Amino acid sequence: MGGMAEPTAPHQIGEYADQVLSVVEHIPPGRVLTYGDVAAAVGRGGPRQVGHVMAQYGGAVPWWRVVRADGRLLPGHERRALENYRAEGTPLRDATDPGTYPRVDMRQARADGAAP
């Protein structure tokens, strides 16, 4: 009306993204799940779909608790993730090469039953 744009509705995320974020919110401090673990907890999708959700909305949840299956830290976010892992006491493996970051020790850090 009269050249005014209609107000837009608040941004809402889809059901799948909401489920992914809910699983991530329930990962205990000091523990991690892989992208595939999160997809399995949701019951659909896969690691790539979880990664897509985390890339878009992961800043609202403890994103550092979702890792690659080999325990490597999220590229470009290694320092922030490492700070969080150390603060939470997440088990880490020493870096294998000089100048590289440690990895999450998946045998010790993987959470069980993190799904709500």
Side-chain angles (χ1 to χ4, degrees), residues 63 73-82:
W63 55 268
L73 307 188
L74 183 63
H77 301 278
E78 296 94 347
R79 285 189 177 141
R80 285 183 53 213
L82 195 54

Side-chain angles (χ1 to χ4, degrees), residues 24-85:
V24 175
E25 286 177 334
H26 287 86
I27 303 170
R31 309 295 273 174
V32 299
L33 289 176
T34 68
Y35 291 90
D37 292 337
V38 173
V42 170
R44 60 189 170 121
R48 288 183 185 205
Q49 288 80 10
V50 170
H52 181 72
V53 170
M54 293 302 293
Q56 287 192 308
Y57 308 110
V61 296
W63 55 268
W64 58 91
R65 296 182 191 154
V66 181
V67 299
R68 296 176 176 193
D70 65 2
R72 282 187 292 150
L73 307 188
L74 183 63
H77 301 278
E78 296 94 347
R79 285 189 177 141
R80 285 183 53 213
L82 195 54
E83 289 173 11
N84 287 305
Y85 296 140

Side-chain angles (χ1 to χ4, degrees), residues 93-107:
R93 291 182 12 219
D94 290 334
T96 54
D97 297 318
T100 62
Y101 289 96
R103 291 183 183 204
V104 172
D105 185 331
M106 294 304 293
R107 288 187 180 157

